Amino acid sequence: MKIAFHTLGCKVNQYETEALKNNLSAKGYEIATDEGAIDIYIINTCTVTSLADRKSRQYIRRAKKLNPHSVIAVTGCYAQVSPEEAAGIEGVDIVVGNEDKMNIPEQLEKFFADKPVQNGSKSQDAGNALLDASKLNESVMSEYELLQNADEYFEIGIISEVGSRTRAFIKVQDGCDRFCSYCIIPYARGKLQSRPLESIVSEARNLIDKGFKEIVLTGINTALYGVESSFSDDIESVIKALNSLAGDFRIRLSSLEPTVIDASYIKKLFKYEKLCHHIHLSLQSGSDKILKSMNRRYSMDEYMQIIKVLTEFDPEYGISTDIIVGFPEETNEDFEESLKITENIDFCKVHVFKYSNRKGTTASTMRGQIDGTEKSKRSAVLITAGDTSAVRFFEKNLNKEKKVLIEEFVEDLGCYTGYTDNYIKAYIHKTHLQSEHFNCNHANNGTANSNHITGNRSSSDNIDKYVNEFVNVRLTEIFEDGMLAEPIEFETKEEKKMSNCIFCKIVNKEIPANVMYEDDKVLCFHDITPKAPVHVLLIPKKHIVSMDDVRPEDQELMGYMIVKIKEIAETLDLENGYRVVNNCKKDGGQTVDHLHFHILGKRQMMWPPG
Ligand code: 5GP
Ligand code: ZN
């Protein structure tokens, strides 16, 4: 059977859809890639605004229209908060709240067992949806209480494949207990459930091994990770643990709520070098009065302190935000405060939301609701200010060097695109990358797992070679929704090692040495601290770290060196014998990380005795 998915709303929903896809495809269902002949639709809805509700309903209707005989299962936050409404939509067969989302496969089985499919469809009747009566409570609040009963983090299985080949999301927690007065999410998502650290780490390890190079930590309110009394870890523990994992990858936080974290907490995160210099910090309003009425638990002052420590640490730290306009009782002056802050901070992105009245929230019954036209007016003004803010942020980044993770090749533009670590969309023209002068990190670096994913594709398509690679660039110009970028020549890992290597420096004549033999392949020079009357070192000119790093292609060179040792011994009059020593790596006593053979002669050697 062929299943199609539609996901609305946040990253957590997207993540959960991926988990369901994995689960269902493991059970033998076919995951649809187009809209043709779909047997089952799973629509993972959102309810954050009334627009989200509407879109959720539209998707449901659209699905039924495209494939009238399909079975339609509706889940997610809209299904959680308004189950009866969802069930009432014509064509809906199954309604599943968030707490049962991961049981959809079982629900489907049950559904088909109970009602044998006729012509592919169970029923066209509205209101005929499979609904657990006990879950149809009158008020949103009782839905919330129901969610409160789920007392463990819902283990939804390790996500190993997500849509993108470069960036992977890890859900670290569910739920929110902040109850911002406008927000329906705590009711839709229920109580706090943090995921055990080991489970997060093992998922991250798995994703990194699969070649993902950006791990995004996501949750309903990520900053609340571990605040349950049963937890000793917090979000910093998660970052710390992931930061210490080996591999060429970076960590991104999807957002950290200022309702939970403050400036001093933020500072603690600066030491994790894999953490991107980007943070989403929802402001919601620039007015202390409105913040209070929103139950946001911070003042503008405190918000500004966070901004201050971030920009002191890195002036180009990427800061994105959300702002709501038209919250009840928001006066022109309050709105001006939001506008002012948008003009004062160089946000990399401002998401503007018109206040949406959500039934069941405290704000929904507040006096002073603002009318739609006024909200639209304020929204338009703030969107413009937000765009200008982003332009200022881009300007700050002009000519700056950043690291980009390339995500895709855009045919029309002839450009690769990807994000800098401070979250600027970078456009790199293909001619720049393919120029001979430029070495992508990957080209010379054969680390075991780095290219598992691109490797499969690049053989057929050279264009893909740079996808999922880090490239250092200089940002040269503001372009569309991001910036043009030019790769800068940078040292590959191999080159970096070489430039710090004493023996490579001797080869390059940067350090003087008493050289006794040299050709195009090897160099022989006297040891500066001889252990015997004759003590020379023979090294390959090629930088090979140790005996342990000798590769099959070095065979010939190794044979050549052995022959050279014999010739050198002859020129040193060591006809009575000599000793050749190679110390390999730390336990072998190797102190210089460039393969070398010691040639010792004329006795007075410490070992073997005599
Ligand atoms: P290992 O301990 O790695 O087997 O050997 C390193 C050798 O390189 C030592 O014997 C040390 O004396 C020698 N060495 C280290 N630095 C220099 C240098 O700058 N010039 C020369 N000629 N020998 C060096
Ligand atoms: Zn070297």
Side-chain angles (χ1 to χ4, degrees), residues 502-503 506 511-515 525-531 535-537 539 581-585 588-598 600:
I502 301 169
F503 287 176
I506 289 177
I511 293 180
N514 188 354
V515 175
F525 50 94
H526 290 268
D527 195 300
I528 43 168
T529 54
K531 303 283 182 295
H535 186 175
V536 298
L537 301 170
I539 67 166
V581 174
N582 172 259
N583 300 322
C584 178
K585 302 213 287 193
Q590 182 178 4
T591 56
V592 176
D593 286 336
H594 182 131
L595 174 68
H596 53 277
F597 295 107
H598 299 257
L600 304 142

Side-chain angles (χ1 to χ4, degrees), residues 497-505 507 539-545 592-595:
K497 263 187 216 147
M498 284 169 65
S499 62
N500 293 325
C501 170
I502 301 169
F503 287 176
C504 281
K505 283 180 179 162
V507 170
I539 67 166
K541 285 192 166 173
K542 176 182 174 188
H543 179 83
I544 297 173
V545 176
V592 176
D593 286 336
H594 182 131
L595 174 68

Side-chain angles (χ1 to χ4, degrees), residues 164-168 204 207-216 247-252 274 276 403-407 419 440-443 445 447 449-454 465-471 493:
S164 139
R165 294 188 282 140
T166 52
R167 197 183 293 164
L207 291 165
I208 296 159
D209 290 346
K210 283 198 158 14
F212 285 95
K213 293 200 171 153
E214 186 169 308
I215 303 289
V216 187
D248 189 22
F249 72 98
R250 64 190 186 188
I251 307 163
R252 201 183 283 284
K274 283 183 173 144
C276 289
K403 195 176 199 175
V404 171
L405 176 57
I406 297 184
E407 288 180 24
Y419 282 85
C440 186
N441 233 344
H442 151 55
N445 154 19
T447 48
N449 56 29
S450 67
N451 288 297
H452 168 91
I453 289 171
T454 44
K465 186 162 104 189
Y466 300 96
V467 172
N468 200 30
E469 293 300 334
F470 285 116
V471 174
K493 274 184 196 152

Side-chain angles (χ1 to χ4, degrees), residues 167 214 250-252 274-280 310 314-320 346-349 390 393-398 400-405 418-426 473 475 483:
R167 197 183 293 164
E214 186 169 308
R250 64 190 186 188
I251 307 163
R252 201 183 283 284
K274 283 183 173 144
L275 187 64
C276 289
H277 290 193
H278 166 234
I279 194 167
H280 185 79
L310 288 170
D314 175 0
E316 293 121 45
Y317 211 103
I319 303 161
S320 46
D346 303 334
F347 287 114
C348 65
K349 175 83 195 163
F393 177 71
F394 291 155
E395 279 167 353
K396 272 207 308 208
N397 280 274
L398 272 173
K400 294 285 166 25
E401 290 178 15
K402 299 286 165 201
K403 195 176 199 175
V404 171
L405 176 57
Y419 282 85
T420 61
D421 84 306
N422 63 341
Y423 214 53
I424 294 172
K425 188 167 186 182
V473 300
L475 299 168
M483 295 180 82

